[in-house]
Amino acid sequence: YELESSLEEDLLSLNDIPDPPSGLEWLLQELISLRIAFSQEDSESSAQAEWLSLCLRLDRLMFCLYLLVLVVYTSTLLLLWARWSST
């Protein structure tokens, strides 16, 4: 019985509608919600900027590695060609 009465009280409390905020209170609530939204967006954009920076560094590293492999491969082919042509 106690459980049922507490459920009834909870349901009755849902029916209580708070008074609508006055103009200044509404404006304050809107400004606070905008501030929260912008701060969340800033934190998301800074996290994206960090990931982009990491990806850019990784991209540069992979490109340098590619150039190194290309130079080693080309020099190997040139050395082999020079040795075969001299015999």
Side-chain angles (χ1 to χ4, degrees):
Y1 176 74
E2 290 177 14
L3 180 63
E4 291 177 9
S5 65
S6 66
L7 286 176
E8 287 178 12
E9 290 174 6
D10 290 340
L11 290 176
L12 289 176
S13 68
L14 290 175
N15 291 333
D16 296 338
I17 299 174
D19 295 333
S22 68
L24 289 177
E25 289 175 352
W26 175 81
L27 182 62
L28 179 62
Q29 288 175 358
E30 289 296 316
L31 288 174
I32 290 171
S33 66
L34 284 173
R35 180 177 179 233
I36 291 170
F38 283 134
S39 66
Q40 288 174 349
E41 187 176 315
D42 284 344
S43 65
E44 290 173 5
S45 65
S46 67
Q48 287 177 351
E50 290 175 9
W51 276 107
L52 286 175
S53 174
L54 176 67
C55 290
L56 181 62
R57 283 184 270 157
L58 184 62
D59 188 43
R60 286 180 183 163
L61 175 69
M62 296 305 272
F63 183 68
C64 290
L65 184 64
Y66 166 74
L67 288 179
L68 178 67
V69 169
L70 186 65
V71 166
V72 169
Y73 178 73
T74 304
S75 63
T76 303
L77 285 179
L78 288 175
L79 288 172
L80 289 174
W81 178 73
R83 182 174 288 178
W84 287 332
S85 67
S86 67
T87 57

Coordinates of all heavy atoms in Angstrom, one line a residue:
Y1 N 0.8 -1.2 0.0 CA 0.0 0.0 0.0 C 0.9 1.3 0.0 O 0.5 2.2 -0.6 CB -0.9 0.0 1.2 CG -1.8 1.2 1.3 CD1 -2.8 1.4 0.4 CD2 -1.5 2.2 2.3 CE1 -3.6 2.6 0.5 CE2 -2.2 3.3 2.4 CZ -3.3 3.5 1.5 OH -4.1 4.7 1.6
E2 N 2.0 1.2 0.7 CA 2.9 2.4 0.8 C 3.4 2.7 -0.6 O 3.6 3.8 -1.0 CB 4.0 2.2 1.8 CG 3.5 2.2 3.2 CD 4.7 1.9 4.1 OE1 5.8 1.9 3.7 OE2 4.4 1.6 5.3
L3 N 3.8 1.6 -1.3 CA 4.3 1.8 -2.7 C 3.3 2.5 -3.6 O 3.6 3.4 -4.4 CB 4.8 0.4 -3.2 CG 5.4 0.5 -4.6 CD1 6.7 1.3 -4.6 CD2 5.6 -0.9 -5.1
E4 N 2.1 2.0 -3.5 CA 1.0 2.6 -4.4 C 0.8 4.1 -4.0 O 0.6 4.9 -4.9 CB -0.3 1.8 -4.2 CG -0.2 0.4 -4.8 CD -1.4 -0.4 -4.6 OE1 -2.4 0.2 -4.2 OE2 -1.4 -1.6 -4.9
S5 N 0.8 4.4 -2.8 CA 0.6 5.8 -2.4 C 1.7 6.7 -2.9 O 1.5 7.9 -3.3 CB 0.3 6.0 -0.9 OG 1.5 5.6 -0.2
S6 N 2.9 6.2 -2.8 CA 4.1 7.0 -3.3 C 4.0 7.2 -4.8 O 4.3 8.2 -5.3 CB 5.4 6.4 -2.9 OG 5.6 5.2 -3.5
L7 N 3.5 6.2 -5.5 CA 3.4 6.3 -6.9 C 2.3 7.3 -7.3 O 2.4 8.1 -8.2 CB 3.0 4.9 -7.6 CG 4.1 3.9 -7.7 CD1 3.6 2.6 -8.2 CD2 5.3 4.4 -8.5
E8 N 1.2 7.3 -6.5 CA 0.2 8.3 -6.7 C 0.7 9.7 -6.5 O 0.4 10.6 -7.3 CB -1.0 8.0 -5.8 CG -1.8 6.8 -6.3 CD -3.0 6.5 -5.3 OE1 -3.3 7.3 -4.5 OE2 -3.5 5.4 -5.4
E9 N 1.5 9.9 -5.4 CA 2.0 11.2 -5.2 C 3.0 11.7 -6.3 O 2.9 12.8 -6.7 CB 2.8 11.2 -3.8 CG 1.9 11.1 -2.6 CD 2.6 10.9 -1.3 OE1 3.9 11.0 -1.4 OE2 2.0 10.6 -0.3
D10 N 3.7 10.7 -6.8 CA 4.6 11.1 -7.9 C 3.8 11.5 -9.1 O 4.2 12.4 -9.8 CB 5.6 9.9 -8.3 CG 6.6 9.7 -7.2 OD1 6.9 10.6 -6.4 OD2 7.2 8.6 -7.2
L11 N 2.8 10.7 -9.4 CA 2.0 11.1 -10.6 C 1.3 12.4 -10.4 O 1.1 13.2 -11.3 CB 0.9 10.0 -10.8 CG 1.5 8.6 -11.4 CD1 0.4 7.6 -11.5 CD2 2.2 8.8 -12.7
L12 N 0.8 12.7 -9.2 CA 0.2 14.0 -8.9 C 1.2 15.1 -9.0 O 0.8 16.2 -9.5 CB -0.5 14.0 -7.5 CG -1.7 13.1 -7.4 CD1 -2.2 13.1 -5.9 CD2 -2.8 13.6 -8.3
S13 N 2.4 14.9 -8.6 CA 3.4 16.0 -8.7 C 3.7 16.3 -10.2 O 4.1 17.4 -10.5 CB 4.7 15.6 -8.0 OG 5.3 14.5 -8.6
L14 N 3.5 15.3 -11.1 CA 3.7 15.6 -12.5 C 2.7 16.5 -13.1 O 2.9 17.2 -14.1 CB 3.7 14.3 -13.3 CG 4.9 13.3 -13.1 CD1 4.7 12.0 -13.9 CD2 6.2 14.0 -13.5
N15 N 1.5 16.5 -12.5 CA 0.5 17.4 -12.9 C 0.7 18.9 -12.5 O 0.0 19.7 -13.1 CB -0.9 16.9 -12.4 CG -1.3 15.6 -13.0 OD1 -0.9 15.3 -14.2 ND2 -2.1 14.9 -12.3
D16 N 1.5 19.1 -11.5 CA 1.8 20.5 -11.1 C 2.6 21.2 -12.2 O 3.7 20.8 -12.5 CB 2.6 20.5 -9.8 CG 1.8 19.9 -8.7 OD1 0.5 19.9 -8.8 OD2 2.4 19.5 -7.7
I17 N 2.0 22.2 -12.8 CA 2.7 23.0 -13.8 C 3.3 24.2 -13.1 O 2.6 25.0 -12.5 CB 1.7 23.4 -14.9 CG1 1.2 22.1 -15.6 CG2 2.4 24.3 -15.9 CD1 0.1 22.4 -16.6
P18 N 4.6 24.4 -13.3 CA 5.2 25.6 -12.7 C 4.8 26.9 -13.4 O 4.4 26.8 -14.6 CB 6.7 25.4 -12.8 CG 6.8 24.5 -14.0 CD 5.6 23.6 -14.0
D19 N 4.8 28.0 -12.7 CA 4.4 29.3 -13.3 C 5.4 29.6 -14.4 O 6.6 29.4 -14.3 CB 4.4 30.4 -12.3 CG 3.4 30.2 -11.2 OD1 2.4 29.5 -11.5 OD2 3.6 30.6 -10.1
P20 N 4.9 30.1 -15.5 CA 5.8 30.5 -16.6 C 6.8 31.6 -16.1 O 6.3 32.5 -15.4 CB 4.9 31.0 -17.7 CG 3.6 31.3 -17.1 CD 3.5 30.5 -15.9
P21 N 8.0 31.6 -16.5 CA 9.0 32.6 -16.0 C 8.6 34.0 -16.6 O 8.1 34.1 -17.7 CB 10.3 32.1 -16.6 CG 10.0 31.2 -17.7 CD 8.6 30.6 -17.4
S22 N 9.0 35.0 -15.9 CA 8.8 36.3 -16.4 C 9.7 36.6 -17.5 O 10.6 35.8 -17.8 CB 9.0 37.3 -15.2 OG 10.3 37.4 -14.9
G23 N 9.6 37.8 -18.1 CA 10.4 38.1 -19.3 C 11.9 38.1 -19.0 O 12.7 37.5 -19.8
L24 N 12.4 38.6 -17.9 CA 13.8 38.6 -17.6 C 14.3 37.3 -17.2 O 15.4 36.9 -17.5 CB 14.1 39.6 -16.4 CG 13.9 41.1 -16.8 CD1 14.2 42.0 -15.6 CD2 14.9 41.5 -17.9
E25 N 13.5 36.5 -16.4 CA 13.9 35.2 -16.1 C 14.0 34.3 -17.3 O 14.9 33.5 -17.5 CB 12.9 34.5 -15.1 CG 12.9 35.2 -13.7 CD 11.8 34.6 -12.8 OE1 11.0 33.9 -13.3 OE2 11.9 34.9 -11.6
W26 N 13.0 34.4 -18.2 CA 13.1 33.7 -19.5 C 14.3 34.0 -20.3 O 15.0 33.2 -20.8 CB 11.8 34.0 -20.3 CG 11.8 33.3 -21.7 CD1 11.5 32.0 -22.0 CD2 12.2 33.9 -22.9 NE1 11.7 31.8 -23.3 CE2 12.1 33.0 -23.9 CE3 12.6 35.2 -23.2 CZ2 12.4 33.2 -25.2 CZ3 12.9 35.5 -24.6 CH2 12.8 34.5 -25.5
L27 N 14.6 35.3 -20.4 CA 15.8 35.8 -21.1 C 17.1 35.2 -20.4 O 18.0 34.8 -21.1 CB 15.9 37.3 -21.1 CG 17.0 38.0 -21.8 CD1 17.0 37.6 -23.3 CD2 17.0 39.5 -21.7
L28 N 17.1 35.2 -19.1 CA 18.3 34.6 -18.4 C 18.4 33.2 -18.7 O 19.5 32.7 -19.0 CB 18.1 34.9 -16.9 CG 19.3 34.3 -16.0 CD1 20.6 35.0 -16.4 CD2 18.9 34.5 -14.6
Q29 N 17.3 32.4 -18.7 CA 17.4 31.0 -19.0 C 17.8 30.8 -20.4 O 18.6 29.8 -20.7 CB 16.0 30.4 -18.8 CG 15.6 30.2 -17.4 CD 14.1 29.7 -17.2 OE1 13.5 29.5 -18.2 NE2 13.7 29.5 -16.0
E30 N 17.4 31.6 -21.4 CA 17.8 31.4 -22.7 C 19.3 31.7 -22.9 O 20.0 31.0 -23.6 CB 17.0 32.4 -23.7 CG 15.6 32.0 -23.9 CD 15.5 30.6 -24.6 OE1 16.2 30.4 -25.6 OE2 14.7 29.8 -24.1
L31 N 19.8 32.8 -22.2 CA 21.2 33.1 -22.3 C 22.1 32.0 -21.7 O 23.1 31.7 -22.2 CB 21.5 34.4 -21.6 CG 21.0 35.7 -22.3 CD1 21.2 36.9 -21.4 CD2 21.7 35.9 -23.6
I32 N 21.6 31.4 -20.6 CA 22.4 30.3 -20.0 C 22.4 29.1 -20.9 O 23.4 28.5 -21.0 CB 21.7 30.0 -18.6 CG1 22.0 31.1 -17.6 CG2 22.3 28.7 -18.1 CD1 21.3 31.0 -16.3
S33 N 21.3 28.8 -21.5 CA 21.3 27.7 -22.4 C 22.2 27.9 -23.6 O 22.8 27.0 -24.1 CB 19.8 27.3 -22.9 OG 19.3 28.4 -23.6
L34 N 22.2 29.2 -24.1 CA 23.1 29.5 -25.2 C 24.6 29.4 -24.8 O 25.4 28.9 -25.6 CB 22.8 30.9 -25.7 CG 21.6 31.1 -26.6 CD1 21.3 32.5 -26.9 CD2 21.7 30.3 -27.9
R35 N 24.9 29.8 -23.6 CA 26.2 29.7 -23.1 C 26.7 28.3 -23.0 O 27.8 27.9 -23.4 CB 26.4 30.5 -21.8 CG 27.7 30.4 -21.2 CD 27.8 31.2 -19.9 NE 29.2 31.1 -19.4 CZ 29.4 30.7 -18.1 NH1 28.4 30.4 -17.3 NH2 30.7 30.6 -17.7
I36 N 25.8 27.5 -22.5 CA 26.1 26.0 -22.3 C 26.3 25.4 -23.7 O 27.3 24.6 -23.9 CB 25.0 25.3 -21.6 CG1 25.1 25.8 -20.1 CG2 25.2 23.8 -21.6 CD1 23.9 25.3 -19.3
A37 N 25.5 25.7 -24.7 CA 25.6 25.2 -26.0 C 26.9 25.6 -26.7 O 27.6 24.8 -27.3 CB 24.4 25.6 -26.9
F38 N 27.2 26.9 -26.5 CA 28.5 27.4 -27.1 C 29.7 26.8 -26.5 O 30.7 26.5 -27.2 CB 28.5 28.9 -27.1 CG 27.7 29.6 -28.2 CD1 26.9 30.6 -27.8 CD2 27.7 29.1 -29.5 CE1 26.1 31.3 -28.8 CE2 26.9 29.7 -30.4 CZ 26.1 30.8 -30.1
S39 N 29.7 26.6 -25.2 CA 30.8 26.0 -24.5 C 31.0 24.5 -24.9 O 32.1 24.1 -25.1 CB 30.7 26.1 -23.0 OG 29.6 25.3 -22.5
Q40 N 29.9 23.8 -25.1 CA 30.0 22.4 -25.6 C 30.5 22.4 -27.0 O 31.4 21.6 -27.4 CB 28.6 21.7 -25.5 CG 28.2 21.4 -24.1 CD 26.8 20.9 -24.1 OE1 26.1 20.9 -25.0 NE2 26.4 20.4 -22.9
E41 N 30.1 23.3 -27.8 CA 30.6 23.4 -29.2 C 32.0 23.7 -29.3 O 32.8 23.2 -30.1 CB 29.7 24.4 -30.0 CG 30.0 24.4 -31.5 CD 29.1 25.4 -32.2 OE1 27.9 25.4 -31.9 OE2 29.7 26.1 -33.1
D42 N 32.5 24.6 -28.4 CA 33.9 25.0 -28.3 C 34.8 23.8 -27.9 O 35.8 23.6 -28.5 CB 34.2 26.2 -27.4 CG 33.7 27.5 -27.9 OD1 33.5 27.6 -29.2 OD2 33.6 28.4 -27.1
S43 N 34.3 23.0 -27.0 CA 35.1 21.9 -26.5 C 35.1 20.8 -27.6 O 36.1 20.2 -27.8 CB 34.5 21.3 -25.2 OG 33.2 20.8 -25.5
E44 N 34.0 20.7 -28.4 CA 34.0 19.7 -29.5 C 34.9 20.2 -30.6 O 35.7 19.4 -31.2 CB 32.6 19.5 -30.0 CG 31.7 18.8 -29.1 CD 30.2 18.8 -29.5 OE1 30.0 19.3 -30.7 OE2 29.4 18.2 -28.8
S45 N 34.9 21.5 -30.9 CA 35.8 22.0 -32.0 C 37.2 21.9 -31.6 O 38.1 21.7 -32.5 CB 35.3 23.4 -32.4 OG 35.6 24.3 -31.4
S46 N 37.6 22.1 -30.3 CA 39.0 22.0 -29.9 C 39.4 20.6 -30.0 O 40.6 20.3 -30.4 CB 39.2 22.6 -28.5 OG 38.5 21.8 -27.6
A47 N 38.6 19.6 -29.7 CA 38.9 18.2 -29.8 C 39.1 17.9 -31.3 O 40.0 17.1 -31.6 CB 37.8 17.3 -29.2
Q48 N 38.3 18.4 -32.1 CA 38.4 18.1 -33.6 C 39.7 18.7 -34.1 O 40.4 18.1 -34.9 CB 37.2 18.7 -34.3 CG 36.0 17.9 -34.2 CD 34.8 18.6 -34.9 OE1 34.9 19.7 -35.4 NE2 33.7 17.9 -35.0
A49 N 40.1 19.9 -33.6 CA 41.3 20.6 -34.0 C 42.5 19.7 -33.6 O 43.5 19.6 -34.3 CB 41.4 22.0 -33.4
E50 N 42.5 19.2 -32.4 CA 43.6 18.3 -31.9 C 43.7 17.1 -32.8 O 44.8 16.7 -33.1 CB 43.3 17.9 -30.5 CG 43.5 19.0 -29.5 CD 43.2 18.6 -28.1 OE1 43.0 17.4 -27.8 OE2 43.1 19.5 -27.2
W51 N 42.6 16.4 -33.1 CA 42.6 15.3 -34.0 C 43.2 15.6 -35.4 O 43.9 14.9 -36.0 CB 41.2 14.6 -34.1 CG 40.9 13.7 -33.0 CD1 40.1 13.9 -32.0 CD2 41.5 12.4 -32.8 NE1 40.1 12.8 -31.1 CE2 40.9 11.9 -31.6 CE3 42.5 11.6 -33.5 CZ2 41.3 10.6 -31.1 CZ3 42.8 10.4 -32.9 CH2 42.2 9.9 -31.8
L52 N 42.7 16.8 -35.9 CA 43.2 17.2 -37.2 C 44.7 17.5 -37.2 O 45.4 17.1 -38.1 CB 42.5 18.4 -37.7 CG 41.0 18.2 -38.2 CD1 40.4 19.5 -38.5 CD2 41.0 17.3 -39.4
S53 N 45.2 18.1 -36.1 CA 46.6 18.3 -36.0 C 47.4 17.0 -35.9 O 48.4 16.8 -36.6 CB 46.9 19.1 -34.7 OG 48.3 19.2 -34.5
L54 N 46.9 16.0 -35.2 CA 47.5 14.7 -35.1 C 47.5 14.0 -36.5 O 48.5 13.5 -36.9 CB 46.8 13.8 -34.1 CG 47.3 12.4 -34.0 CD1 48.7 12.4 -33.4 CD2 46.4 11.6 -33.1
C55 N 46.4 14.1 -37.2 CA 46.3 13.5 -38.5 C 47.3 14.2 -39.5 O 47.9 13.5 -40.4 CB 44.9 13.6 -39.1 SG 43.8 12.5 -38.2
L56 N 47.5 15.5 -39.4 CA 48.4 16.2 -40.3 C 49.8 15.8 -40.0 O 50.6 15.5 -41.0 CB 48.2 17.7 -40.1 CG 49.1 18.6 -40.9 CD1 48.8 18.4 -42.4 CD2 49.0 20.1 -40.5
R57 N 50.2 15.6 -38.8 CA 51.5 15.2 -38.4 C 51.8 13.7 -38.9 O 52.8 13.4 -39.5 CB 51.8 15.2 -36.9 CG 52.1 16.7 -36.5 CD 52.4 16.7 -35.0 NE 51.1 16.9 -34.3 CZ 50.9 16.5 -33.1 NH1 51.8 16.0 -32.3 NH2 49.7 16.7 -32.5
L58 N 50.8 12.9 -38.8 CA 50.9 11.5 -39.3 C 51.0 11.5 -40.8 O 51.7 10.7 -41.4 CB 49.7 10.7 -38.8 CG 49.7 9.2 -39.1 CD1 50.9 8.5 -38.5 CD2 48.4 8.6 -38.7
D59 N 50.2 12.3 -41.4 CA 50.3 12.4 -42.9 C 51.6 12.9 -43.4 O 52.2 12.3 -44.3 CB 49.2 13.4 -43.4 CG 49.0 13.4 -44.9 OD1 49.0 12.3 -45.5 OD2 48.9 14.5 -45.5
R60 N 52.2 13.8 -42.7 CA 53.6 14.3 -43.1 C 54.6 13.2 -42.9 O 55.5 13.0 -43.7 CB 54.0 15.5 -42.3 CG 53.3 16.8 -42.7 CD 53.7 17.9 -41.9 NE 53.0 19.1 -42.3 CZ 52.9 20.2 -41.6 NH1 53.5 20.3 -40.4 NH2 52.2 21.3 -42.0
L61 N 54.5 12.5 -41.8 CA 55.4 11.4 -41.5 C 55.3 10.3 -42.6 O 56.3 9.8 -43.1 CB 55.1 10.8 -40.1 CG 55.9 9.5 -39.7 CD1 57.4 9.9 -39.5 CD2 55.3 8.9 -38.5
M62 N 54.1 9.9 -42.9 CA 53.9 8.9 -43.9 C 54.4 9.3 -45.3 O 55.0 8.6 -46.1 CB 52.4 8.5 -44.0 CG 51.9 7.9 -42.8 SD 52.8 6.4 -42.3 CE 52.0 5.2 -43.1
F63 N 54.3 10.6 -45.6 CA 54.8 11.1 -46.9 C 56.3 11.1 -46.9 O 56.9 10.7 -47.9 CB 54.3 12.6 -47.1 CG 54.7 13.1 -48.5 CD1 54.2 12.6 -49.6 CD2 55.6 14.2 -48.5 CE1 54.6 13.1 -50.9 CE2 56.0 14.7 -49.7 CZ 55.5 14.2 -50.9
C64 N 56.9 11.5 -45.8 CA 58.4 11.4 -45.7 C 58.9 10.0 -45.9 O 59.9 9.7 -46.5 CB 58.9 12.0 -44.4 SG 58.7 13.8 -44.4
L65 N 58.2 9.1 -45.2 CA 58.5 7.6 -45.3 C 58.4 7.2 -46.8 O 59.2 6.4 -47.3 CB 57.6 6.8 -44.4 CG 57.9 5.3 -44.3 CD1 59.3 5.1 -43.8 CD2 56.9 4.7 -43.5
Y66 N 57.3 7.6 -47.4 CA 57.1 7.3 -48.9 C 58.2 7.8 -49.7 O 58.8 7.1 -50.6 CB 55.8 7.8 -49.3 CG 55.6 7.8 -50.8 CD1 55.4 6.6 -51.5 CD2 55.7 9.0 -51.5 CE1 55.2 6.6 -52.9 CE2 55.6 9.0 -52.9 CZ 55.3 7.8 -53.6 OH 55.2 7.8 -54.9
L67 N 58.7 9.0 -49.5 CA 59.8 9.6 -50.3 C 61.1 8.9 -50.0 O 61.8 8.6 -50.9 CB 59.9 11.1 -49.9 CG 58.9 12.0 -50.5 CD1 59.2 13.5 -50.0 CD2 58.8 11.9 -52.0
L68 N 61.3 8.5 -48.8 CA 62.5 7.7 -48.4 C 62.5 6.4 -49.2 O 63.5 6.0 -49.8 CB 62.6 7.5 -46.9 CG 63.8 6.7 -46.4 CD1 65.1 7.4 -46.7 CD2 63.6 6.4 -45.0
V69 N 61.4 5.7 -49.1 CA 61.3 4.4 -49.8 C 61.5 4.6 -51.3 O 62.2 3.8 -52.0 CB 60.0 3.7 -49.5 CG1 59.7 2.5 -50.4 CG2 60.0 3.2 -48.1
L70 N 60.9 5.6 -51.9 CA 61.0 5.9 -53.3 C 62.5 6.2 -53.7 O 63.0 5.7 -54.7 CB 60.1 7.1 -53.7 CG 60.0 7.4 -55.2 CD1 59.4 6.3 -55.9 CD2 59.3 8.7 -55.4
V71 N 63.2 6.9 -52.9 CA 64.6 7.2 -53.2 C 65.5 6.0 -53.1 O 66.3 5.7 -53.9 CB 65.1 8.3 -52.2 CG1 66.6 8.5 -52.2 CG2 64.5 9.7 -52.5
V72 N 65.2 5.2 -52.0 CA 66.0 3.9 -51.9 C 65.7 3.0 -53.1 O 66.6 2.4 -53.7 CB 65.7 3.2 -50.6 CG1 66.2 1.8 -50.5 CG2 66.2 4.1 -49.4
Y73 N 64.5 2.9 -53.5 CA 64.1 2.0 -54.6 C 64.7 2.5 -55.9 O 65.3 1.7 -56.7 CB 62.6 2.0 -54.7 CG 62.1 1.1 -55.9 CD1 62.1 -0.2 -55.9 CD2 61.5 1.8 -57.0 CE1 61.7 -1.0 -56.9 CE2 61.0 1.0 -58.1 CZ 61.1 -0.3 -58.0 OH 60.7 -1.1 -59.1
T74 N 64.7 3.8 -56.2 CA 65.2 4.4 -57.4 C 66.7 4.2 -57.4 O 67.3 3.8 -58.4 CB 64.8 5.8 -57.5 OG1 63.4 5.9 -57.5 CG2 65.3 6.4 -58.8
S75 N 67.4 4.5 -56.3 CA 68.9 4.4 -56.2 C 69.3 2.9 -56.4 O 70.3 2.6 -57.1 CB 69.4 5.0 -54.9 OG 68.9 4.3 -53.8
T76 N 68.5 2.0 -55.9 CA 68.8 0.6 -56.0 C 68.7 0.2 -57.5 O 69.6 -0.5 -58.0 CB 67.9 -0.3 -55.2 OG1 68.0 0.1 -53.8 CG2 68.2 -1.8 -55.3
L77 N 67.6 0.6 -58.2 CA 67.5 0.3 -59.6 C 68.6 0.9 -60.4 O 69.1 0.3 -61.3 CB 66.1 0.8 -60.1 CG 64.9 0.0 -59.7 CD1 63.7 0.6 -60.2 CD2 65.1 -1.5 -60.2
L78 N 69.0 2.1 -60.1 CA 70.1 2.8 -60.8 C 71.4 2.1 -60.6 O 72.2 1.9 -61.6 CB 70.2 4.3 -60.5 CG 69.0 5.2 -61.0 CD1 69.2 6.6 -60.4 CD2 69.0 5.2 -62.5
L79 N 71.7 1.7 -59.4 CA 72.9 1.0 -59.1 C 73.0 -0.4 -59.8 O 74.0 -0.8 -60.4 CB 73.1 0.8 -57.6 CG 73.5 2.0 -56.8 CD1 73.5 1.7 -55.3 CD2 74.9 2.5 -57.3
L80 N 71.8 -1.1 -59.8 CA 71.8 -2.4 -60.5 C 71.9 -2.2 -62.0 O 72.6 -3.0 -62.7 CB 70.5 -3.1 -60.2 CG 70.4 -3.7 -58.8 CD1 69.0 -4.3 -58.5 CD2 71.4 -4.8 -58.6
W81 N 71.3 -1.2 -62.5 CA 71.4 -0.9 -64.0 C 72.8 -0.6 -64.4 O 73.3 -1.0 -65.4 CB 70.4 0.2 -64.4 CG 70.5 0.6 -65.8 CD1 70.0 -0.1 -66.9 CD2 71.1 1.8 -66.3 NE1 70.3 0.6 -68.0 CE2 71.0 1.7 -67.7 CE3 71.8 2.8 -65.7 CZ2 71.5 2.7 -68.6 CZ3 72.3 3.8 -66.6 CH2 72.2 3.7 -68.0
A82 N 73.5 0.3 -63.5 CA 74.9 0.6 -63.8 C 75.8 -0.6 -63.7 O 76.7 -0.7 -64.6 CB 75.3 1.7 -62.8
R83 N 75.6 -1.5 -62.8 CA 76.4 -2.7 -62.7 C 76.2 -3.6 -63.9 O 77.1 -4.2 -64.4 CB 76.1 -3.4 -61.4 CG 77.0 -4.6 -61.2 CD 76.8 -5.3 -59.9 NE 77.5 -4.4 -58.9 CZ 77.5 -4.6 -57.6 NH1 76.9 -5.7 -57.1 NH2 78.1 -3.8 -56.8
W84 N 74.9 -3.8 -64.3 CA 74.6 -4.7 -65.4 C 75.1 -4.1 -66.7 O 75.5 -4.8 -67.6 CB 73.1 -5.0 -65.5 CG 72.6 -5.9 -64.4 CD1 73.3 -6.8 -63.8 CD2 71.3 -5.9 -63.9 NE1 72.5 -7.5 -62.9 CE2 71.2 -6.9 -62.9 CE3 70.1 -5.1 -64.2 CZ2 70.1 -7.2 -62.2 CZ3 69.0 -5.4 -63.5 CH2 69.0 -6.4 -62.5
S85 N 75.0 -2.8 -66.9 CA 75.5 -2.2 -68.1 C 77.0 -2.2 -68.3 O 77.5 -2.1 -69.4 CB 74.9 -0.8 -68.3 OG 75.5 0.1 -67.3
S86 N 77.7 -2.2 -67.2 CA 79.2 -2.2 -67.2 C 79.8 -3.6 -67.5 O 80.9 -3.7 -67.9 CB 79.8 -1.6 -66.0 OG 79.5 -2.5 -64.9
T87 N 79.0 -4.6 -67.4 CA 79.5 -6.0 -67.6 C 79.4 -6.4 -69.0 O 78.9 -6.1 -69.9 CB 78.9 -7.0 -66.7 OG1 77.5 -7.0 -67.0 CG2 79.2 -6.8 -65.3

